[in-house]
């Protein structure tokens, strides 16, 4: 959705990364403890786009700073995944099954994962130190 993309750019330009495209809630400080060990198991987020329906819808997930996060996409349409981390990540989704996108988050906080063409928030990660 172009208007969402533009809003997103505006939000990014304003430096309000943790607030996401569609939300202005204050960021919650994360409780501090040990960081994820190198080689920690990935948080896997299965995403499905079929006939214009996206699942999941804003799933709530937790991860550690530095822990790999892997989004596995089955889709019948092209889209754009946007991860609202600092720095943010944008991945091009192409139609197909088992497409994998992997990233890590280095700054604790709330990270929204959005599909910009579908205009949906797929998941929100709570990333702790
Ligand atoms: Cu976005």
């Amino acid at each position: 959705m172009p208007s969402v993309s533009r809003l997103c750019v505006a939000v990014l330009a304003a430096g309000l990364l943790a607030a996401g495209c569609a939300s202005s809630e204050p960021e919650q400080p994360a409780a501090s403890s040990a960081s994820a060990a190198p080689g920690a198991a990935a948080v896997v987020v299965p995403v499905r786009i079929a006939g214009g329906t996206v699942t999941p819808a804003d799933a709530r997930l937790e991860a550690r700073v530095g822990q790999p996060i892997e989004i596995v996409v089955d889709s019948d349409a092209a889209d754009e995944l946007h991860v609202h981390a600092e720095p943010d990540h944008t991945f091009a989704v192409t139609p197909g099954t088992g497409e994998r996108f992997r990233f890590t988050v280095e700054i604790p906080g709330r990270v929204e994962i959005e599909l910009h063409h579908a205009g949906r928030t797929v998941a929100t990660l709570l990333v702790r130190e």
Side-chain angles (χ1 to χ4, degrees), residues 4-5 7-9 11-12 20-22 80-84 88-90 112-116 120:
V4 174
S5 295
L7 175 59
C8 210
V9 169
V11 169
L12 291 172
C21 286
E80 180 183 279
L81 263 175
H82 186 202
V83 177
H84 280 246
D88 69 327
H89 305 280
T90 301
E112 293 178 349
I113 301 170
E114 300 178 330
L115 281 167
H116 274 184
R120 294 280 187 275

Side-chain angles (χ1 to χ4, degrees), residues 98-120:
E99 199 171 18
R100 290 173 179 268
F101 306 104
R102 186 179 263 248
F103 60 94
T104 59
V105 177
E106 303 303 332
I107 297 175
R110 245 182 38 167
V111 174
E112 293 178 349
I113 301 170
E114 300 178 330
L115 281 167
H116 274 184
H117 297 180
R120 294 280 187 275

